[in-house]
């Protein structure tokens, strides 16, 4: 299993690799499983999740649930989550600080116990990340909040269904209000919800627990129920495949050339990315078993603009920027979700990339070849994008801070070795 805090083996060393070839398995989605784990808090009893990736963010979420009195057993990509009748309803700072996604326990705790205390998450490498929309949405259902000593305390005598309007389709706010609304009295209509595939997975999971959630056009309609129970399935509820992990391998093929089959990747979940990659001359075909990417020769540049789903995800952007650094021509990249998410560009510049940034725009002028250099991963996706760039750079690229990458990737290095990349960890 990945060790998040290990001081050793914190560096990934990538060498210039020739054409990639073979097959790689895409695991369960980090950004889905963390929310499904939180959703389990909505019902007492034994929950089973399958296709759970062996990543350190899942370890942290297990620790958070355990800190609240839940028993979690993890083996063979499955989680058995035993949720007791009585629980501690506080999420402590030392865990929330390490993983912002912890904030999604707020909705389920409020729905089930009428109270919750969650440490306020701080800023991170993407810049400030407020939770005002989470709180306003929960307030409209009847929750009352107060803050003291860095914690946010919530109470709700009763949650009542209503029209909840999100001014922006925030993924986390949608999840929090959805998980509160499933046990509210009456009907909640969530206007302008996030529509990412991971939201769809959460909706399916909640419905298997007995919730009544459906789409009313582009709104989410939730008819509150009094009780939920663990989803019934002998093999466990299967988490959807990780589209961002898939994007990582698609980018590696784009940069190194070759032909790789991504088993279990779902093309429908990344339609916009596939369009963009096609524009850049990565050839993609898909079927029910997965997605095949093939690339030969130098890629073409394209402009990139991140948007909420079904637009191009901000999480794809670091990979697209890496690809643009060696593509022919100029690509203009616009980040519309997290304004601070350009920090890794300095690292790419150390590798010889020609990138100019101006506010939330970056102009990437493709160079024939990057040059390997020591660089640092500051977050999961930026770290993986540096690894991918290293596979196409002359010489050796040492990516320090690899434990950031472990938060969202199971065996990134071995999976890349399996398709012919020259890469190791030390
Ligand atoms: N925002 C607010 N107020 C809020 C909530 C969000 O201003 O109350 C802003 C954020 O600051 C940001 C934008 O709205 O500028 C989008 O945030 P959103 O709430 O949609 O993102 P999130 O739920 O915090 C999830 C993923 C991210 C992914 C984003 C966008 C998880 C655990 N995280 O974050 O994934 O980038 O959606 O798609 O699901 C990652 O996997 O590495 C990662 C960062």
């Amino acid at each position: 299993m990945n060790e998040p805090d290990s001081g050793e083996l914190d560096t990934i060393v990538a060498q210039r690799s020739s054409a990639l070839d073979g097959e790689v398995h895409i695991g369960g989605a980090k950004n889905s499983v963390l929310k499904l784990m939180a959703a389990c808090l909505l019902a007492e009893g034994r929950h089973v999740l399958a296709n759970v990736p062996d990543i350190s963010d899942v370890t942290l979420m297990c620790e958070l649930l355990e800190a609240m009195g839940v028993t979690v057993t993890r083996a063979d990509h499955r989680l058995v989550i035993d949720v007791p009748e009585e629980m501690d309803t506080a999420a402590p700072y030392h865990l929330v600080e390490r993983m912002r996604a912890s904030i999604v326990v707020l909705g389920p705790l409020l729905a089930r116990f009428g109270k919750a205390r969650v440490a306020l998450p701080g800023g991170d490498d993407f810049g400030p990340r407020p939770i005002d929309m989470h709180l306003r949405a929960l307030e409209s259902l009847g929750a009352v909040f107060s803050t003291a000593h860095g914690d946010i305390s919530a109470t709700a005598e009763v949650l009542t269904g209503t029209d909840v309007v999100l001014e922006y389709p925030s993924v986390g706010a949608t999840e929090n209000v959805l998980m509160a609304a499933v046990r509210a009295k009456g009907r909640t209509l969530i206007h302008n919800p996030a529509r990412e595939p991971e939201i769809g997975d959460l909706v399916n999971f909640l419905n298997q627990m007995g919730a009544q959630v459906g789409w009313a056009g582009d709104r989410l309609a939730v008819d509150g129920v009094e009780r939920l129970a663990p989803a019934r399935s002998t093999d466990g509820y299967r988490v959807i495949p990780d589209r961002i992990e898939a994007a990582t391998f698609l980018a590696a093929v784009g940069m190194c050339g070759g032909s790789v089959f991504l088993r279990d990747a779902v093309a429908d979940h990344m339609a916009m990315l596939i369009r963009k990659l096609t524009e850049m001359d990565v050839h993609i075909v898909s079927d029910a078993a997965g997605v095949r990417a093939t690339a030969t020769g130098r890629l073409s540049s394209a402009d990139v603009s991140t948007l909420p789903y079904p637009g191009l995800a901000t999480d794809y952007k670091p990979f697209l920027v890496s690809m643009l650094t060696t593509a022919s021509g100029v690509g203009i990249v616009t980040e519309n979700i997290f304004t601070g998410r350009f920090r890794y560009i300095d690292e790419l510049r150390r590798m010889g990339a020609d990138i100019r940034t101006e506010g939330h725009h970056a102009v990437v002028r493709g160079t024939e070849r990057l040059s390997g250099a020591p660089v640092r991963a500051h977050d999961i996706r930026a770290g993986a994008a540096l690894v991918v760039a290293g596979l196409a750079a002359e010489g050796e690229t040492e990516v320090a801070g690899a434990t950031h990458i472990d938060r969202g990737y199971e065996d990134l290095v071995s999976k890349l070795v399996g398709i012919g990349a020259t890469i190791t960890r030390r």
Side-chain angles (χ1 to χ4, degrees):
M1 200 186 70
N2 297 318
E3 289 294 335
D5 291 325
S6 148
E8 294 161 40
L9 299 180
D10 194 34
T11 302
I12 291 176
V13 185
Q15 312 266 1
R16 181 167 171 74
S17 301
S18 44
L20 304 177
D21 173 48
E23 177 173 316
V24 65
H25 176 254
I26 301 303
K30 168 180 88 75
N31 290 348
S32 189
V33 68
L34 298 174
K35 324 307 170 62
L36 303 185
M37 292 172 74
C40 294
L41 298 175
L42 282 161
E44 180 192 345
R46 172 163 290 191
H47 304 256
V48 184
L49 296 175
N51 199 32
V52 175
D54 211 351
I55 56 177
S56 60
D57 266 13
V58 166
T59 309
L60 278 175
M61 192 53 120
C62 290
E63 281 176 36
L64 177 59
L65 297 186
E66 282 165 345
M68 294 191 289
V70 174
T71 308
V72 186
T73 319
R74 186 177 182 185
D76 301 330
H77 296 105
R78 280 158 59 89
L79 285 178
V80 177
I81 301 175
D82 286 303
V83 177
E85 190 183 344
E86 296 296 326
M87 283 179 43
D88 191 346
T89 54
Y93 178 64
H94 73 276
L95 292 171
V96 177
E97 178 215 27
R98 286 163 71 198
M99 190 180 62
R100 287 186 51 90
S102 318
I103 193 75
V104 292
V105 299
L106 195 53
L109 288 175
L110 260 175
R112 180 147 165 244
F113 300 102
K115 62 175 182 171
R117 187 156 53 84
V118 178
L120 272 168
D124 62 17
D125 233 66
F126 300 173
R129 290 180 70 181
I131 54 163
D132 53 316
M133 284 186 243
H134 299 235
L135 304 188
R136 269 203 302 278
L138 292 167
E139 266 168 359
S140 51
L141 294 180
V144 177
F145 293 99
S146 62
T147 47
H149 311 296
D151 285 346
I152 181 143
S153 296
T155 52
E157 245 164 59
V158 60
L159 292 173
T160 311
T162 185
D163 280 81
V164 175
V165 181
L166 295 176
E167 66 187 71
Y168 175 91
S170 151
V171 172
T174 302
E175 292 161 340
N176 248 331
V177 73
L178 174 60
M179 289 192 271
V182 288
R183 287 186 57 155
K185 278 197 187 325
R187 170 167 271 221
T188 302
L189 262 186
I190 308 174
H191 300 254
N192 197 25
R195 287 175 288 158
E196 272 70 3
E198 295 75 24
I199 300 280
D201 206 24
L202 178 60
V203 166
N204 286 340
F205 184 60
L206 290 169
N207 284 340
Q208 291 201 15
M209 291 174 70
Q212 293 187 10
V213 186
W215 290 93
D218 54 6
R219 295 166 304 176
L220 272 173
V222 188
D223 287 309
V225 296
E226 230 157 70
R227 275 186 68 78
L228 294 172
R232 254 185 255 147
S233 151
T234 36
D235 297 332
Y237 181 89
R238 206 174 158 77
V239 179
I240 58 167
D242 196 313
R243 63 199 166 102
I244 320 292
E245 187 193 20
T248 313
F249 291 101
L250 293 176
V253 174
M255 290 199 82
C256 300
S259 185
V260 172
F261 184 65
L262 278 57
R263 183 160 296 281
D264 280 357
V266 180
D268 273 359
H269 291 172
M270 37 188 192
M272 208 60 92
L273 175 69
I274 290 177
R275 280 172 75 130
K276 190 52 68 182
L277 293 176
T278 305
E279 196 183 325
M280 293 174 74
D281 296 333
V282 181
H283 180 63
I284 296 194
V285 288
S286 62
D287 60 23
V291 170
R292 174 170 292 281
T294 307
T296 46
R298 197 171 175 194
L299 299 180
S300 303
S301 289
D303 293 339
V304 168
S305 182
T306 64
L307 281 174
Y309 194 85
L312 262 184
T314 173
D315 297 311
Y316 298 145
K317 192 197 57 191
F319 306 109
L320 291 164
V321 170
S322 285
M323 292 167 83
L324 288 172
T325 59
T326 55
S328 83
V330 178
I332 299 174
V333 181
T334 304
E335 170 59 60
N336 293 308
I337 314 294
F338 293 113
T339 46
R341 208 171 186 178
F342 269 139
R343 189 165 161 197
Y344 65 99
I345 280 180
D346 288 333
E347 306 294 315
L348 281 175
R349 284 201 192 100
R350 306 197 65 254
M351 297 173 69
D354 181 348
I355 309 178
R356 221 160 27 85
T357 50
E358 178 78 48
H360 64 127
H361 303 287
V363 180
V364 189
R365 210 171 291 275
T367 51
E368 282 275 346
R369 187 134 307 169
L370 295 175
S371 133
V375 290
R376 177 163 288 279
H378 293 288
D379 76 68
I380 309 172
R381 308 303 172 190
L386 290 170
V387 168
V388 168
L391 296 177
E394 211 57 74
E396 195 170 272
T397 298
E398 279 183 26
V399 183
T403 46
H404 280 291
I405 298 174
D406 298 336
R407 292 188 51 186
Y409 289 87
E410 175 177 336
D411 293 336
L412 179 62
V413 167
S414 345
K415 285 186 179 183
L416 284 168
V417 167
I419 52 174
T422 311
I423 186 165
T424 184
R425 182 149 178 164
R426 63 178 183 229

